[in-house]
């Protein structure tokens, strides 16, 4: 078997949360040796299914870090390691002797990635790192629609899953920089930065906004989740009006009745006949509709129960579902790797028993001085010098390429002269495009082929999320571009994965949330399903593709060969279901459901309405739950209803129960906050149309290595002339393309 990409890399993991543990899993399945350091009686093991998935393939060492001998043993491990992952706050890291400065002095080649609750330069850096509390403090519980007025509990721990991907992308960027600079360093992220990833679509503020930019995308727009005749729900993306059954039914209803049905609902930006579609879809069973829509290239999925996707043919064929014989649970179906590279990912064996690798710990002779090369006088961004050709549209592809630009790459975005399809949603478009040079060029025309070939020859990386038949038609598929540039790392993001019957189907985040059960879970028990507005599938896919791309670059640096790597919406979303697995008898391990009011999972982890405002309690440890119950009694709703939020929070703090005010309408407050600005969470630049543009800022802290957050999203064709002239095209050639409507200058 060929050597895995991260073969020879040792990772030490001191993580108990989903984000850090899942990051260790990604590195492990790329070939790294991952040693998880856990305390005896690790409480994470109580969540059997989640633990089994997140820790498969790893080695377990049990240490008590407060014990001097065990702490010395940890130092021996770090002396032999390439990467340290931990999810401590700065204060806890300091108490364990793991402060950044100390690690840098003692282990100069070590890459350190901490996933704390808040950035380490934030005023809240040492606050308890719990996702629900962070979402409440940022105001994101108010960004999600509910079946009732007010903020809502978010069932999917999406910030933890996004933080996993931010972590491994940061680690890979640091490893690439270590090969360049000769020394390690930090690659920190946080749950707060991860939670802000999807808000790049919404939290933008402009000095001179257009009407479309100012409007944004309201959280109350109707989502095309339609109940069918059998009671099941179907999510349809974009208008289904051209499918034969729908077209026939609309014709039979007539214009007057269609208009009446549409008037019952607010206008939809994706379906002009939203109300009529809803009435028509209610006349047939869900399975009949979805099969009909699939036959006519309409993107749709049934909102399935949590766990149904484990039995989906497409998921199995692409390795997104794998069989693992777990030492505790027996034979299981688990989420598999969400990305494809060469050499391929290796699915690990069972999660380890506690301490089973203690006998393999290094001895004192291993603690030798580790020499690193002194960094140069002007540290460069991690991916400085990398040349990227961005051919993507919508969200997953462009967002990944925006992060490459943040990390220092030179990114050229190609879009048609009429503009990217997302430009009509200006705030969303701007949120995925900063840092890029914008070239407006018509792909697929013989007259533009020399330009595309020159760009492909220039690039180190091509990244896109168009369907592969379209890429072949436009001659920007891997086979065509590899002939021009054999060292190219070509990254593709699909909807359903690179193989199987749905390999070339259209798909969107909403459909993956539906098929993976998250829409049912977010709806609450007994309620209609609800889409999680944060577009998590797009961002999971974009970030996982970025991880695959950096693995491909790391492999190219070793072998000299380029390759095609890939990720998908389905694979990345399915991974977020790791809290439940299928047992040998076909049953799903238990899942905790959101209540019908969409306020929480149990009394100690839920939202409460006080006499004046909402708060959220996140008492997750047994002692915290006991103190909570002792304070509020058997009817906590009544307890909070009689108190102001301020009084309730003071009472909870008095008995050390974690809680947070649920803030609402926070975009302007976030963008005005000096604490967020000081932590690097803001970015400012001058835009060609919008004037001063303010957006969400850094998603990592690389310490001595800067990020590149100083270029605004490009206006249409803003850099066409600049980029193409640098590639050698003359002014007359460019004017000819422009006059033919094949380029915008």
């Amino acid at each position: 078997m060929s050597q895995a990409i991260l073969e020879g890399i040792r990772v030490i993991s001191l993580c108990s949360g989903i984000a850090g543990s899942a990051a260790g899993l990604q590195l492990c399945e790329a070939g790294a040796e991952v040693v998880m350091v856990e305390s005896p009686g690790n409480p994470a093991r109580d969540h059997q299914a989640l633990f089994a998935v997140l820790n498969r393939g790893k080695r377990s060492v049990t240490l008590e870090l407060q014990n001097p001998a065990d702490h010395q043993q940890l130092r021996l491990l770090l002396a032999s390691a390439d990467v340290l992952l931990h999810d401590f706050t700065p204060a806890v890291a300091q108490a364990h002797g793991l402060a950044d400065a100390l690690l840098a002095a003692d282990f100069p080649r070590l890459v350190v990635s901490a996933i704390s609750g808040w950035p380490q330069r934030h005023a809240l850096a040492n606050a308890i790192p719990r996702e629900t509390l962070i979402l409440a403090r940022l105001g994101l519980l108010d960004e999600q629609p509910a079946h009732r007025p007010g903020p809502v509990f978010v069932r999917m721990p999406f910030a933890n899953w996004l933080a996993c991907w931010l972590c491994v992308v940061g680690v890979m960027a640091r490893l690439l920089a270590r090969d360049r600079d000769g020394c390690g360093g930090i690659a920190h992220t946080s749950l707060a930065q991860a939670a802000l990833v999807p808000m790049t679509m919404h939290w933008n503020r402009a000095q001179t906004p257009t009407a479309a930019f100012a409007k944004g995308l309201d959280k109350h727009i109707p989502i095309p989740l339609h109940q069918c005749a059998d009671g099941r729900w179907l999510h349809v993306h974009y208008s289904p009006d051209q499918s034969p059954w729908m077209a026939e039914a609309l014709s039979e209803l007539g214009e007057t009745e269609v208009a009446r049905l549409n008037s019952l609902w607010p206008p939809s930006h994706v379906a002009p006949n939203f109300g009529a579609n809803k009435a028509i879809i209610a006349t047939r069973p869900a399975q009949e509709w979805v099969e009909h829509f699939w036959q006519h290239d309409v993107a749709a999925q049934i909102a399935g129960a949590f766990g149904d996707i484990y039995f989906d043919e497409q998921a199995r064929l692409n390795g997104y579902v794998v069989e693992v014989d777990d030492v505790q649970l027996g034979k299981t179906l688990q989420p598999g790797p969400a990305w494809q590279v060469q050499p391929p990912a290796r699915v690990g064996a069972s999660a380890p028993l506690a301490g089973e690798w203690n006998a393999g710990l290094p001895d004192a002779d291993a603690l030798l001085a580790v020499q690193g090369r002194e960094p140069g006088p002007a540290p460069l961004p991690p991916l400085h010098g990398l040349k990227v050709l961005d051919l993507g549209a919508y969200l997953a592809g462009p967002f990944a390429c925006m992060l490459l630009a943040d990390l220092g790459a030179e990114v050229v975005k190609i879009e048609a002269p009429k503009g990217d399809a997302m430009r009509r949603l200006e705030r969303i478009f701007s949120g995925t495009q900063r840092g890029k040079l914008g070239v407006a060029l018509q792909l697929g025309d013989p007259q533009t082929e020399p330009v595309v070939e020159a760009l492909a020859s220039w690039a180190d990386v091509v990244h896109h999320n168009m369907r592969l038949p379209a890429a072949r038609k436009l001659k920007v598929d891997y086979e065509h571009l590899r002939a021009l540039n054999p060292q190219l790392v070509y990254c593709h993001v699909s909807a359903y994965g690179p193989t199987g019957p749905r390999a070339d189907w259209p798909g969107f985040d909403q459909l993956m949330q539906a098929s993976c059960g998250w829409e049912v879970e977010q709806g609450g028990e007994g309620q209609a399903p609800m889409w999680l507005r944060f577009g998590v599938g797009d961002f999971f896919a974009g970030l996982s593709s970025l991880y695959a791309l950096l693995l491909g670059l790391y492999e190219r640096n070793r072998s000299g060969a380029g390759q095609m790597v890939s990720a998908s919406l389905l694979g990345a979303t399915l991974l977020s279901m790791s809290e439940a697995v299928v047992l040998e008898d076909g049953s799903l391990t238990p899942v905790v459901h959101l209540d019908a009011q969409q306020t929480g999972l149990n009394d100690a982890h839920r939202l409460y309405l006080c006499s004046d405002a909402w708060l959220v309690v996140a008492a997750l440890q047994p002692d915290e739950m006991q103190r909570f119950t002792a304070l509020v009694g058997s009817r906590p709703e009544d307890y909070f209803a009689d108190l102001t939020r301020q009084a309730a929070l003071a009472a909870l703090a008095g008995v050390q129960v974690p809680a947070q005010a649920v803030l609402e309408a926070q975009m302007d407050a976030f963008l005005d906050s000096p604490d967020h600005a000081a932590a690097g969470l803001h970015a400012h630049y001058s835009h060609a149309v919008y004037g001063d543009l303010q957006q969400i800022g850094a998603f990592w802290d690389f310490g001595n290595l800067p990020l590149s957050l100083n270029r605004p999203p490009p206006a249409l064709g803003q850099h066409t002339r600049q980029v193409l002239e640098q590639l050698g095209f003359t002014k007359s050639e460019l004017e000819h393309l422009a006059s033919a409507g094949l380029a915008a200058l």
Side-chain angles (χ1 to χ4, degrees), residues 473-706:
K473 182 178 179 181
L474 298 173
K475 296 185 178 180
V476 292
D477 55 293
Y478 178 55
E479 290 73 17
H480 188 83
L481 299 187
R482 177 179 60 178
L484 301 168
N485 184 353
Q487 290 192 311
L488 196 66
V489 176
Y490 183 102
C491 185
H492 179 241
V493 183
S494 64
Y496 290 95
T499 192
R502 280 174 269 168
D504 295 326
W505 282 18
F508 300 86
D509 155 71
Q510 293 90 331
L511 307 186
M512 304 309 150
Q513 288 193 37
S515 61
C516 290
W518 284 118
E519 290 192 332
V520 169
E521 293 303 319
Q522 185 57 38
E525 288 196 280
Q527 297 270 44
M530 290 201 79
W531 175 54
L532 190 63
R533 178 177 179 250
F534 300 106
V536 290
D538 282 313
F539 295 104
F540 292 157
L543 281 163
S544 59
S545 78
L546 188 47
Y547 178 57
L549 187 154
L550 296 181
L551 288 173
L553 286 170
Y554 194 82
E555 173 67 12
R556 187 183 73 177
N557 288 353
R558 181 172 65 187
S559 69
Q563 63 169 290
M564 180 173 175
V565 304
S566 62
S568 73
L569 294 170
L570 176 59
T573 307
L574 201 155
L575 182 65
S576 69
M577 299 172 58
S578 295
E579 62 192 71
V581 301
V582 175
L583 301 177
E584 189 172 11
D585 64 2
S587 65
L588 190 73
T589 54
V591 177
V592 181
H593 301 292
L594 184 60
D595 64 18
Q597 294 75 39
Q598 296 175 293
T599 58
L601 304 180
N602 55 56
D603 285 349
H605 192 195
R606 61 165 287 192
L607 283 73
Y608 289 99
L609 182 59
C610 299
S611 63
D612 59 342
W614 292 85
L615 61 75
V616 67
V617 175
L620 306 186
Q621 301 301 326
D623 59 325
E624 295 169 350
M625 296 178 190
Q626 292 169 4
R627 293 195 297 271
F628 174 75
T629 302
L631 175 68
V632 305
S634 60
R635 296 183 62 85
E637 296 93 339
D638 295 344
Y639 174 86
F640 288 106
D642 292 336
L643 294 174
T644 66
R645 181 165 71 186
Q646 184 177 0
L649 287 171
L652 291 164
V655 294
Q656 296 182 296
V657 170
Q660 172 65 54
V662 179
L663 302 185
E664 302 178 47
Q666 285 295 293
M667 184 185 83
D668 287 328
F670 172 84
L671 294 173
D672 288 336
S673 166
D675 287 340
H676 296 329
L681 297 182
H682 294 169
H684 286 269
Y685 9 69
S686 180
H687 187 272
V689 175
Y690 306 133
D692 182 62
L693 179 63
Q694 187 178 8
Q695 297 185 299
I696 290 167
F699 295 110
W700 298 275
D701 178 358
F702 285 95
N704 65 312
L705 301 186

Side-chain angles (χ1 to χ4, degrees), residues 17-53:
I18 291 174
S21 301
L25 174 67
Q26 305 311 314
L27 296 169
C28 183
E29 298 199 328
E33 176 195 41
V34 179
V35 180
M36 52 180 292
V37 177
E38 55 181 325
S39 60
N42 179 6
R45 288 183 174 270
D46 296 339
H47 304 280
Q48 270 193 309
L50 184 64
F51 187 89
V53 177

Side-chain angles (χ1 to χ4, degrees), residues 120-448:
Q120 304 218 351
R121 291 182 285 136
H122 200 283
L124 295 171
N126 288 308
I128 189 167
R130 291 192 185 161
E131 177 163 339
T132 308
L133 302 180
I134 292 164
L135 297 183
R137 174 65 181 78
L138 284 169
L140 301 193
L141 299 183
D142 183 49
E143 289 285 340
Q144 172 62 23
H147 295 305
R148 53 163 177 78
V152 63
F153 191 97
V154 174
R155 173 60 183 85
M156 180 201 280
F158 75 91
N160 266 276
W161 285 105
L162 288 168
C164 150
W165 293 115
L166 288 173
C167 173
V168 293
V169 168
V171 166
M172 289 307 305
R174 254 298 179 182
L175 287 173
L176 288 163
R178 186 178 77 167
D179 287 346
R180 177 191 71 194
D181 300 337
C183 59
I186 65 171
H188 297 335
T189 189
S190 68
L191 296 179
Q193 286 161 296
L196 289 167
V197 161
M199 300 316 295
T200 56
M201 296 189 290
H202 305 297
W203 285 5
N204 294 263
R205 192 163 62 184
Q207 179 184 16
T208 55
T210 63
F213 185 98
K215 181 180 179 182
L217 202 59
D218 187 87
K219 75 174 185 178
H220 297 297
I221 61 169
I223 299 301
L225 262 166
H226 304 299
Q227 192 168 26
C228 301
D230 57 357
R232 302 181 78 189
W233 292 79
L234 183 68
H235 201 135
V236 183
H237 198 80
Y238 289 137
S239 172
D241 292 355
Q242 300 306 310
S243 62
W245 288 355
M246 185 61 67
E248 180 182 347
L250 289 169
S251 177
E252 289 176 356
L253 286 173
E255 291 184 9
T256 301
E257 179 62 6
V258 168
R260 185 191 71 80
L261 291 168
N262 289 342
S263 71
L264 301 176
W265 297 88
S268 166
H269 74 290
V270 295
N273 290 311
F274 182 89
N277 294 155
K278 185 171 285 291
I280 293 165
I281 287 173
T283 64
R284 294 176 186 263
Q287 192 63 36
E288 290 185 15
W289 272 119
V290 77
E291 289 179 4
H292 177 75
F293 286 148
W294 288 349
Q295 289 167 9
H296 296 92
D297 207 36
V298 175
Q301 284 286 163
I302 294 171
F306 201 85
D308 285 356
I309 196 69
Y310 278 120
F311 304 99
D312 180 84
E313 177 191 18
Q314 186 72 18
R316 298 290 295 274
L317 287 173
N318 282 284
Y320 302 146
V321 173
V322 294
E323 296 182 7
V324 178
D325 193 355
D326 184 76
V327 69
Q328 300 287 347
L329 297 172
K331 292 180 179 178
T332 61
L333 298 181
Q334 301 183 6
W339 38 271
Q340 288 82 26
V341 297
Q342 292 297 327
R346 294 183 182 176
V347 177
S350 169
L353 295 171
E356 68 176 36
W357 201 63
N358 277 42
L361 286 167
D363 57 31
D365 291 338
L367 192 57
L368 303 172
V370 182
Q371 299 299 320
R373 194 165 72 237
E374 287 297 318
L380 298 169
L383 300 184
H384 176 78
L386 184 71
K387 300 186 289 294
V388 179
L389 186 58
D390 173 12
L391 302 177
Y394 298 100
L395 284 178
F399 179 74
C401 291
M402 183 182 86
L403 295 190
L404 288 170
D406 285 1
L407 292 165
E410 183 175 1
V411 179
V412 172
K413 173 184 173 55
I414 306 297
E415 59 185 312
K418 64 182 180 181
D420 187 306
M422 288 295 284
R423 277 194 181 270
R424 64 188 179 87
L425 300 174
E426 293 186 26
R427 201 184 297 183
I428 294 178
F429 178 83
S430 295
T432 60
Q433 304 295 341
R434 72 159 170 239
K436 303 178 187 179
L437 297 170
V439 172
L441 187 74
Q442 187 64 53
L443 299 178
D445 189 281
Q447 295 182 73
T448 62

Side-chain angles (χ1 to χ4, degrees), residues 72-90:
Q72 179 66 4
Q73 194 66 66
L74 175 62
R75 287 181 56 80
L76 294 176
L77 280 170
L78 293 177
S80 68
D82 299 277
V83 178
L84 169 65
L85 307 178
H86 71 77
D87 50 16
F88 301 138
T89 64

Side-chain angles (χ1 to χ4, degrees), residues 84-106:
L84 169 65
L85 307 178
H86 71 77
D87 50 16
F88 301 138
T89 64
V92 172
Q94 177 99 22
H96 287 316
L98 299 173
D100 291 340
L102 184 62
L103 291 172
D106 291 347

